[in-house]
Amino acid sequence: MSDILKDLVKILGNDKVAVDPLTIKLYSKNAVYYEGNALAVVFPETTDDVRRVVKYAYQNNLKIYPQGSASEIVGSTTPRKDGIVMNFMRMRKVKEVSYVDSYVVVEPGVRLIELNNILSRNGYMFPIDPASVKSATVGGAVNSGSGGMMGAKYGTMKDWVLGLEVVLPDEEATVLKLGGKTTKNREGYDLVRLIVGSEGTLALVTEAILRITLAPERVVTVTGFFRELEDLMRCVVEIKKSKLDVLIMEFVDDVTAKITIDTIKPKIAGEGHLLITSVSTVDEAASRVKDKLVDLYAGSGATNVVAAESMGEAEALGIFEIRRNLYPATIKMASLSLRDDEEKPYIFVEDISVPPSRLIEAVKRLREISEKYDFPMTLGGHVGDGNLHPVVWIREGDKDKMEQFNNFVLDIMRMAIELGGVISSEHGVGKVKKDGLVLSFKARNSIKALSIMRQIKRIFDPKNILNPDKMLPSV
Amino acid sequence: MRDLTDLRREILRDVLKCSYCAMCEWVCPTLDVGNGNRIYGPRGRINLIVSYFREGSENGVLKESIYTCLICMACTQQCPAGINIAEDIRKFRTFLTQ
Amino acid sequence: MSMYNYVAYPNKIIEIIRFNILNRGIPIHASKWTLFGWTDGIDVPREGEWLLFTGFMYQLTPYIEVLVDKLSRIKNGFLLTLGSMVNKVFDISRFISTPPRERIMEVHDVLRNIYRLLVASGYRVWYDEAIDTYPGTLLYEFGLDAELKYYGERLYHRLKSRGVDRIITVDPHTTYILKKVYPSIVPNYDVKVLSYLELIDPSTLCRVESELVYAIHDPCYYARGIGLYQGTREALASVGVRVVEPRFSGTNTYCCGGPIESLSPTFSAEIGRRRLDMLLRTGADKIIVMCPICMANLRRASSSDNIIDISQLLKRANTI
């Protein structure tokens, strides 16, 4: 064992340091394919554990790669062999729940689903619900700036983090308590929001104070199929004008809906583009809201309309089945396209946003790009906030396709920028979208923003030991 | 020694569908008791199987991982890729007793 | 590597158990009285429509409890190596001290009661000591599929030679192996297999006059294995048992930890403690189990006498 590893064991104890190659390998991957390497994995259990490792790393120029579940898909958690993985899954206490003050104090390793299981007992929720809600941790969601299906109503992580405890990667491993427990807070620059979405490049999050909110008393959901995208968007506009409190507005394009229906044989089927709308309401109004939504769907030319007056009923009717099975259907399609059994498909989920009013154009151009590169694509997304998730797959080891894929992604990002959107909405930049960041700021004549970001990075992390080479493009 | 070529192929084909999303982990009792170390969870187990088949990677950790599995199938019903996780782990055990 | 030390000598333990199942028809030794004593004093027909197949899981559990206790104290691999060699000549599981008599009598009561419930529900149940056998569960769990296939074929041959085409099982593991596993590996396997919990008629049951609240613990191989969880709740509700659901129940149930009791006793015990804690957090007075393995592992974690088998709550109404 090298000196570094011996020192780490001395600092943390044997049971908090893994050095065996098979274990390290399991901590060097993310949910796409970025496979790195590392010297060791450390499992801090307290803020003090974190501090002691950071101090040592600072003195010895050892890189630290923080991670939770590593379910991200942009490469923000993958390590290199110049450093150690710091995994936060052992810091998983829910320290405080205050319904009166509407906040929780949690450690970074708590999974979002676990937090919601606790809150739901009292009718509350933490409304950030990424597709990875079962695996995503608080620390990962803070650092990725995650969003989810309810983004149209509740925004993303940046709207729900009130305060953070962080350890800085400096000589003293300084602990800072940023923000607080109140919704209103105007104490200088907003360092909390600077950390949210920083992808582990600025500081190590050891505790978070999160806002919580009441879960809706009742959720009414309606789904239907539209032959033309224009009709679907007309329906979206009508719903938005109707004073309904939209919670979820999901879309699956016609090609993808057909593939998914053929693959998984869901309870609900139809032809065309699928739109699912969930509205938050109260028990007494459920039936009225449902009728209104059904009218709006029918008025826009929807077919096979199915409505549910509660979440339970929606689940029983299978309303979310097609949307939720986008990913399994994609995997199935990918597997079918492989030449032999021992090949592995890599699934890539894109993450652009455009203003919702530009969605029709975005979908049409996405299809053109998909054809240009001959990448079969499934497409779904959050219509409510204009966030689209085209999904493609590549055979592992197919170098030509990989190169084409990079150009394919560049084209998609250029398109998003042209339509007034962004290149990353809720997944982050990591290693895959650094070029996109340059494109986006250039397009706005704001390239200096990137140099400001680099300077911020240097202030927080003078020796560049924390998650180096992530998010910020090199000069 | 038994001819396990077909079994290897059958298991490998299934576990290669793993995209590392971790949605199987939150229900795993042994991951919980194993203090969150991935070798004690379903995602870790099936990816150790991948490493064993493809690169021949094997050490004490593999046995520790595979033989702590309860085959309780909680993970299997969570997998969005439809991997038959518990069954793959169970069948893989035969490679460790050869 | 001090970080990883929860599994000791798996291959030696597997070899002993494998040898015993294949050569002695049972993973560990148990007396004849333990296995069949439940029929003493009742007149169980030797012919009928439905064969009651205990699979010995209930009867073996008291022995497993003693064995696990011993295994968790073995610190020396040499002993096991020696053991696995000696075992081929002499069944070393005979050296394990016999479990307390009351524990075995409890198991006999469970089986006797299940038999009575089935008769009350109108089933023509029969039993034969020469057919009832260990179902091969551990071969399955250890991934020894070739051995399992051989074992299953022998078992099926035995069933067919007696013309058996309908079986009633009493525990989830036996149910799963006979109902789901053997049909896929034993050629032409054609036996209808149902758990007694799928068959009993609630109208024949006696009401439970109790103020106690019971937390229900679903076994993995009933809930996820064959989708049986709603029926058990309906049966309990019909006799007036107040049931509460723990965190993780139904198809999302949380394993008791029992299946790895022999390979990793420490892990198994800790999972049992955590599951027991979840069940007690419901505020329930008692915990209902429906699998002998769950019973053993949760009892191992519990300091009080608060875990009962579902069959102990389901009694035949006096009017029948």
Side-chain angles (χ1 to χ4, degrees):
Chain A
M1 217 187 324
S2 75
D3 289 345
I4 289 174
L5 304 181
K6 278 185 197 145
D7 290 344
L8 287 170
V9 169
K10 212 179 289 169
I11 293 168
L12 288 176
N14 236 327
D15 62 325
K16 295 182 194 169
V17 184
V19 295
D20 120 83
L22 289 185
T23 311
I24 290 173
K25 195 165 184 192
L26 293 179
Y27 286 86
S28 304
K29 289 156 83 98
N30 74 348
V32 192
Y33 74 112
Y34 287 99
E35 203 165 312
N37 202 340
L39 296 169
V41 186
V42 296
F43 300 93
E45 291 175 8
T46 61
T47 302
D48 199 49
D49 282 350
V50 175
R51 282 196 68 198
R52 282 183 287 147
V53 174
V54 168
K55 266 191 189 173
Y56 176 82
Y58 186 88
Q59 279 162 14
N60 296 280
N61 277 318
L62 182 67
K63 311 290 186 196
I64 297 175
Y65 297 93
Q67 63 168 242
S69 279
S71 57
E72 53 82 18
I73 50 180
V74 292
S76 54
T77 62
T78 46
R80 287 189 315 214
K81 61 175 183 294
D82 56 0
I84 56 171
V85 172
M86 183 177 276
N87 184 280
F88 283 93
M89 295 306 280
R90 288 196 195 168
M91 293 181 70
R92 47 184 298 206
K93 285 197 272 299
V94 175
K95 291 180 165 172
E96 195 187 340
V97 180
S98 174
Y99 295 106
V100 178
D101 298 331
S102 295
Y103 71 80
V104 290
V105 182
V106 284
E107 289 189 334
V110 173
R111 294 187 185 95
L112 297 182
I113 193 169
E114 292 162 344
L115 176 60
N116 269 317
N117 281 342
I118 294 171
L119 297 177
S120 65
R121 284 178 220 149
N122 287 291
Y124 273 74
M125 67 173 180
F126 182 67
I128 303 303
D129 61 339
S132 58
V133 66
K134 290 175 177 175
S135 46
T137 61
V138 166
V142 167
N143 275 293
S144 302
S146 305
M149 287 224 283
M150 297 191 285
K153 180 171 166 68
Y154 294 108
T156 65
M157 272 315 268
K158 70 181 191 300
D159 306 302
W160 294 87
V161 184
L162 294 173
L164 292 172
E165 179 191 87
V166 297
V167 176
L168 298 181
D170 61 13
E171 190 171 2
E172 295 305 313
T174 311
V175 176
L176 294 182
K177 299 254 187 189
L178 304 171
K181 293 176 173 174
T182 57
T183 308
K184 293 180 178 171
N185 185 332
R186 272 292 4 255
E187 300 182 336
Y189 290 133
D190 191 345
L191 296 181
V192 172
R193 285 201 180 200
L194 190 55
I195 304 285
V196 175
S198 65
E199 300 185 17
T201 60
L202 297 181
L204 294 153
V205 174
T206 49
E207 186 182 288
I209 306 168
L210 306 175
R211 260 172 77 202
I212 56 174
T213 187
L214 269 173
E217 179 175 310
R218 190 68 89 89
V219 177
V220 170
T221 304
V222 174
T223 186
F225 293 83
F226 296 83
R227 200 160 286 268
E228 300 298 330
L229 211 47
E230 284 77 4
D231 293 337
L232 182 144
M233 282 313 296
R234 195 149 46 92
C235 185
V236 169
V237 172
E238 289 304 316
I239 293 169
K240 285 202 165 185
K241 288 197 303 199
S242 69
K243 294 183 193 162
L244 293 171
D245 188 3
V246 176
L247 197 59
I248 292 169
M249 215 177 216
E250 292 293 304
F251 143 85
V252 177
D253 85 343
D254 53 358
V255 179
T256 311
K258 184 175 179 343
I259 291 165
T260 313
I261 290 165
D262 291 347
T263 324
I264 64 155
K265 316 267 180 255
K267 287 181 191 155
I268 293 173
E271 273 180 40
H273 309 278
L274 178 80
L275 178 69
I276 305 168
T277 309
S278 292
V279 167
S280 170
T281 183
V282 294
D283 291 343
E284 292 78 1
S287 159
R288 181 171 56 84
V289 167
K290 184 181 85 173
D291 292 346
K292 187 167 179 180
L293 260 180
V294 170
D295 284 350
L296 292 173
Y297 266 69
S300 310
T303 55
N304 297 42
V305 176
V306 178
E309 276 186 31
S310 70
M311 266 301 180
E313 194 188 352
E315 294 294 346
L317 292 168
I319 288 185
F320 290 99
E321 244 181 318
I322 295 176
R323 175 68 182 88
R324 278 207 199 110
N325 278 289
L326 263 189
Y327 185 64
T330 309
I331 291 176
K332 193 141 190 185
M333 276 172 72
S335 310
L336 290 175
S337 74
L338 295 180
R339 283 178 310 200
D340 85 62
D341 294 344
E342 297 198 8
E343 288 183 329
K344 182 176 172 62
Y346 284 126
I347 314 281
F348 295 92
V349 185
E350 243 300 325
D351 179 39
I352 55 162
S353 277
V354 297
S357 60
R358 309 294 296 272
L359 271 171
I360 296 179
E361 212 176 330
V363 171
K364 286 187 173 150
R365 289 187 53 185
L366 274 172
R367 289 184 163 184
E368 285 164 18
I369 297 171
S370 156
E371 271 165 39
K372 174 178 160 192
Y373 289 94
D374 190 26
F375 272 119
M377 172 185 81
T378 59
L379 179 60
H382 316 293
V383 209
D385 53 26
N387 184 190
L388 289 169
H389 294 309
V391 182
V392 297
W393 62 92
I394 296 174
R395 207 175 66 240
E396 174 192 48
D398 190 338
K399 291 213 173 86
D400 293 348
K401 271 279 183 210
M402 262 323 284
E403 207 169 306
Q404 283 177 37
F405 173 73
N406 292 333
N407 293 325
F408 169 78
V409 172
L410 278 173
D411 273 12
I412 291 179
M413 294 194 291
R414 277 194 201 100
M415 178 273 287
I417 294 165
E418 278 170 39
L419 296 182
V422 296
I423 57 124
S424 171
S425 313
E426 53 187 12
H427 297 170
V429 176
K431 293 205 283 200
V432 291
K433 289 202 157 176
K434 289 199 252 178
D435 293 344
L437 219 51
V438 177
L439 284 180
S440 190
F441 282 101
K442 261 193 186 150
R444 281 175 272 163
N445 266 332
S446 302
I447 202 74
K448 192 175 177 185
L450 287 177
S451 75
I452 292 174
M453 288 186 196
R454 284 191 201 98
Q455 289 171 55
I456 291 172
K457 164 77 174 165
R458 269 198 292 280
I459 294 169
F460 275 85
D461 183 13
K463 277 190 161 183
N464 194 31
I465 57 168
L466 197 54
N467 214 11
D469 207 25
K470 304 289 170 64
M471 199 172 82
L472 294 177
S474 40
V475 189
Chain B
M1 288 283 261
R2 225 169 255 160
D3 182 13
L4 296 172
T5 319
D6 288 346
L7 185 60
R8 174 190 183 276
R9 178 180 292 260
E10 180 193 328
I11 297 173
L12 186 56
R13 177 165 44 183
D14 202 35
V15 291
L16 281 176
K17 287 190 283 188
C18 177
S19 73
Y20 229 66
C21 73
M23 288 190 217
C24 54
E25 289 189 336
W26 72 288
V27 295
C28 179
T30 60
L31 183 65
D32 213 20
V33 173
N35 227 337
N37 189 322
R38 270 173 214 160
I39 77 145
Y40 296 116
R43 176 171 64 163
R45 290 188 177 110
I46 61 168
N47 282 282
L48 287 176
I49 293 175
V50 173
S51 298
Y52 174 83
F53 281 149
R54 290 186 138 187
E55 290 132 39
S57 312
E58 186 184 6
N59 62 25
V61 173
L62 184 65
K63 274 192 180 163
E64 179 93 3
S65 169
I66 298 298
Y67 282 126
T68 43
C69 177
L70 297 154
I71 323 283
C72 76
M73 307 182 288
C75 51
T76 306
Q77 62 180 21
Q78 297 291 332
C79 179
I83 301 171
N84 207 341
I85 305 174
E87 183 66 355
D88 291 336
I89 296 168
R90 188 191 72 75
K91 286 186 167 162
F92 177 73
R93 286 180 170 174
T94 206
F95 289 88
L96 300 182
T97 45
Q98 289 305 297
Chain C
M1 216 181 315
S2 64
M3 198 168 189
Y4 301 126
N5 49 14
Y6 292 107
V7 177
Y9 324 113
N11 289 10
K12 287 160 195 165
I13 292 170
I14 289 171
E15 179 47 31
I16 294 174
I17 294 174
R18 187 190 79 93
F19 185 88
N20 278 1
I21 296 174
L22 293 178
N23 296 287
R24 301 182 174 120
I26 198 157
I28 54 170
H29 170 78
S31 74
K32 277 219 150 17
W33 176 70
T34 306
L35 298 178
F36 306 114
W38 68 272
T39 57
D40 292 353
I42 52 171
D43 196 16
V44 186
R46 296 180 65 83
E47 279 178 1
E49 192 181 354
W50 290 87
L51 173 73
L52 187 66
F53 192 94
T54 73
F56 302 157
M57 298 294 276
Y58 269 98
Q59 297 95 312
L60 286 177
T61 309
Y63 289 81
I64 293 170
E65 286 162 10
V66 180
L67 177 71
V68 168
D69 183 52
K70 297 244 152 116
L71 272 178
S72 58
R73 280 185 241 156
I74 293 182
K75 296 278 180 274
N76 186 347
F78 176 70
L79 267 181
L80 272 172
T81 310
L82 191 68
S84 64
M85 284 155 64
V86 173
N87 187 58
K88 299 200 166 149
V89 187
F90 187 82
D91 186 352
I92 56 159
S93 64
R94 280 174 184 270
F95 285 126
I96 298 158
S97 47
T98 323
R101 195 178 164 83
E102 314 83 71
R103 182 72 183 89
I104 295 172
M105 288 173 72
E106 183 192 12
V107 163
H108 287 172
D109 271 347
V110 165
L111 294 173
R112 217 170 276 144
N113 187 48
I114 289 172
Y115 168 72
R116 289 192 178 122
L117 288 173
L118 288 164
V119 172
S121 291
Y123 294 96
R124 285 177 45 233
V125 180
W126 63 290
Y127 184 71
D128 190 334
E129 291 174 7
I131 307 180
D132 199 4
T133 188
Y134 180 73
T137 314
L138 282 169
L139 295 176
Y140 172 76
E141 287 178 7
F142 293 155
L144 301 171
D145 283 5
E147 286 87 342
L148 184 71
K149 183 171 189 294
Y150 165 74
Y151 192 84
E153 282 170 3
R154 269 198 332 195
L155 172 61
Y156 184 60
H157 180 74
R158 183 137 56 144
L159 293 173
K160 278 293 128 174
S161 69
R162 287 293 305 274
V164 177
D165 60 0
R166 289 171 186 215
I167 286 179
I168 299 176
T169 50
V170 296
D171 75 87
H173 293 274
T174 305
T175 312
Y176 188 78
I177 297 272
L178 296 187
K179 194 183 176 104
K180 294 279 186 177
V181 179
Y182 284 147
S184 66
I185 59 172
V186 174
N188 309 316
Y189 186 91
D190 181 25
V191 186
K192 188 178 170 87
V193 180
L194 287 168
S195 160
Y196 81 97
L197 288 168
E198 298 175 276
L199 291 170
I200 44 174
D201 172 3
S203 71
T204 64
L205 300 171
C206 155
R207 276 195 75 77
V208 174
E209 304 300 339
S210 169
E211 287 303 301
L212 299 181
V213 175
Y214 294 85
I216 190 164
H217 169 73
D218 291 292
C220 304
Y221 281 81
Y222 272 160
R224 283 190 281 272
I226 65 166
L228 173 62
Y229 55 95
Q230 200 53 44
T232 47
R233 282 158 178 74
E234 282 160 16
L236 289 165
S238 74
V239 294
V241 175
R242 289 169 62 200
V243 169
V244 286
E245 302 282 347
R247 176 163 177 244
F248 294 121
S249 74
T251 55
N252 288 321
T253 191
Y254 193 94
C255 180
C256 68
I260 50 170
E261 64 212 339
S262 64
L263 296 177
S264 185
T266 6
F267 238 64
S268 177
E270 182 55 30
I271 293 164
R273 272 192 285 279
R274 292 188 190 200
R275 180 53 171 170
L276 181 72
D277 183 58
M278 275 180 220
L279 290 157
L280 292 176
R281 267 166 199 265
T282 57
D285 304 293
K286 284 189 182 278
I287 292 157
I288 300 171
V289 292
M290 43 201 111
C291 165
I293 310 279
C294 299
M295 163 80 90
N297 221 48
L298 293 175
R299 275 197 180 162
R300 192 144 66 101
S302 177
S303 52
S304 73
D305 178 24
N306 54 359
I307 297 156
I308 61 163
D309 191 89
I310 189 170
S311 69
Q312 290 168 314
L313 277 172
L314 304 174
K315 301 276 175 174
R316 186 171 54 150
N318 292 329
T319 49
I320 303 287

